[in-house]
Amino acid sequence: SSIVGPPYWDAEAQSFVTASQQRWETAWPVDPQSFVQPSISEAPIPNIQPTQTREFNFTVQTALPFQSALTLSYVGTRVHNQVNLFSHNLAPPGIYASQAAKLAATPYAAFGDVTLLENIGKGWYDGLQAKLERRFARGFSFTGSYSFSKAIAQNAQSDDTSSLPVYHPENYFRGRSSDDRTHIFFINAVWDIPFGRGRRYGANLSRVVDAALGGWELSAINSYTSGAPLTVSLTGDTLGNGQGNRPNVIGNPELSNPTAAAWFNTAAFALPGATQFGSEGYNVLEGPSKTILDAALIKNFLILEGKTLQFRLEAFNSLNHVNLSNPGLTYGTANFGRITGAGGARSVQLGLKFNF
């Protein structure tokens, strides 16, 4: 049973298995108050305010030789009054003799979960961005961009369905945003190779020779992205109230040469004391970076005036670079600190297209 808003409305649901042999005539209690404890889900507080986002930038651009241009920018964003879910009906951290005792310690014992939409989140972004580009000229063009940035979040979850707990210490959920990537580099280029009939070199080739050597085009897209911010978590109810927790940090989690078998120093973490919050910060680790080079080799065959046949050889992750997945982040599990997966390997495809 849950109470949802706005406007506030109540939804009841029951689940049964075949083994229960429950008849539909008696599936629902006669007294509506006999249902399970109702929960209040995603209800906004009465004085909720719209989220405010302020964006600003300073940009300079200059022309460069070879029909290219350079653009440098500082980009900033400030987010205030971000709306996020906040969980209110938890018992304080502690050791409870029974489930009934823990229920009695909750602020609203007649209810289950109580999650409210509130203006509790903030965000900061500062980035230095650079772009170098050349328009298509003499059969060649490219665009390269790079950003060096940092995004900070406070009490801001990465999705709209999870809620922040009520008893966490101040700034416990302040740190690098889950979307933060320190370095992002991207470059793409197209080269219409100047050899073949009607081109700079080999303009007078015979059709037979041109069919083999002329009309080639090469294109590529390369991207590099820094790793995602990560946080270690604990299993079980270490706080005694059902609230999630983190371990203590007792050493340096970083390794000088991280590998898939040991991405960070697992010995740097330890269990906190009973009912105590761990000392680990929010998103203090970083996962593996991603590097992908996609390339295509294209051959255009002139059939008749205005009609061409195009052959394409395309390779995704053409260098077959191993892009590791994120490591296991649950303290004490078998894969804690280990990486057991990776992104896709090289993929090659052929294509044929008739243009008319």
Side-chain angles (χ1 to χ4, degrees):
S1 174
S2 61
I3 300 173
V4 187
Y8 300 109
W9 55 279
D10 183 63
E12 306 287 353
Q14 295 236 41
S15 300
F16 300 97
V17 296
T18 304
S20 68
Q21 298 296 309
Q22 176 68 53
R23 293 177 59 84
W24 71 267
E25 297 91 340
T26 58
W28 301 92
V30 176
D31 182 3
Q33 296 184 5
S34 299
F35 282 108
V36 295
Q37 293 171 301
S39 297
I40 298 177
S41 303
E42 302 185 25
I45 59 174
N47 61 339
I48 194 167
Q49 300 295 315
T51 299
Q52 299 177 5
T53 301
R54 299 167 185 169
E55 300 177 349
F56 43 91
N57 68 83
F58 176 78
T59 300
V60 294
Q61 186 179 67
T62 184
L64 296 175
F66 308 109
Q67 295 182 306
S68 59
L70 175 65
T71 305
L72 298 175
S73 303
Y74 160 73
V75 178
T77 302
R78 301 293 182 267
V79 179
H80 302 277
N81 294 332
Q82 184 168 334
V83 177
N84 283 284
L85 285 172
F86 201 57
S87 181
H88 285 269
N89 203 28
L90 290 174
I95 299 175
Y96 297 96
S98 64
Q99 184 67 23
K102 182 167 69 172
L103 176 62
T106 60
Y108 311 102
F111 291 89
D113 294 332
V114 177
T115 55
L116 303 181
L117 290 166
E118 303 182 38
N119 299 114
I120 57 175
K122 296 181 180 179
W124 301 262
Y125 172 86
D126 293 286
L128 189 63
Q129 301 177 359
K131 182 170 71 171
L132 179 63
E133 57 185 331
R134 170 191 163 105
R135 294 182 178 180
F136 194 79
R138 290 198 169 190
F140 182 67
S141 71
F142 69 85
T143 300
S145 61
Y146 168 74
S147 71
F148 173 70
S149 63
K150 190 166 189 178
I152 302 294
Q154 179 174 328
N155 296 336
Q157 298 292 79
S158 58
D159 60 80
D160 297 330
T161 59
S162 56
S163 58
L164 294 165
V166 66
Y167 296 109
H168 62 79
E170 185 178 3
N171 294 329
Y172 202 62
F173 288 95
R174 177 185 171 119
R176 291 180 63 190
S177 168
S178 297
D179 298 324
D180 182 42
R181 302 294 185 272
T182 304
H183 303 283
I184 299 177
F185 175 73
F186 174 89
I187 185 170
N188 70 78
V190 176
W191 184 30
D192 196 3
I193 300 174
F195 187 83
R197 291 175 65 89
R199 303 197 177 189
R200 187 177 180 184
Y201 303 105
N204 298 318
L205 288 176
S206 68
R207 288 187 176 275
V208 175
V209 175
D210 183 68
L213 303 179
W216 290 95
E217 180 181 313
L218 182 63
S219 64
I221 301 175
N222 185 75
S223 63
Y224 169 86
T225 307
S226 292
L230 305 174
T231 302
V232 173
S233 62
L234 297 176
T235 59
D237 188 6
T238 62
L239 294 172
N241 65 346
Q243 179 177 340
N245 199 7
R246 305 177 202 150
N248 283 334
V249 177
I250 58 174
N252 183 6
E254 295 185 4
L255 293 175
S256 56
N257 295 296
T259 63
W263 189 255
F264 55 82
N265 179 19
T266 57
F269 299 91
L271 284 172
T275 73
Q276 299 296 312
F277 281 90
S279 63
E280 182 201 8
Y282 181 66
N283 280 344
V284 295
L285 300 175
E286 186 170 295
S289 61
K290 301 288 187 294
T291 301
I292 299 176
L293 174 63
D294 299 331
L297 184 62
I298 301 169
K299 175 71 169 75
N300 293 301
F301 297 91
L302 179 62
I303 306 299
L304 293 171
E305 187 70 29
K307 297 179 176 60
T308 59
L309 185 66
Q310 185 182 83
F311 167 77
R312 301 176 66 92
L313 171 64
E314 298 171 323
F316 303 95
N317 190 15
S318 58
L319 298 182
N320 207 26
H321 183 82
V322 178
N323 291 298
L324 297 173
S325 303
N326 287 329
L329 295 170
T330 305
Y331 177 84
T333 59
N335 288 329
F336 181 50
R338 297 178 61 238
I339 296 176
T340 58
R346 180 195 297 118
S347 173
V348 179
Q349 67 180 28
L350 302 177
L352 197 61
K353 182 169 67 173
F354 179 60
N355 298 313
F356 59 93

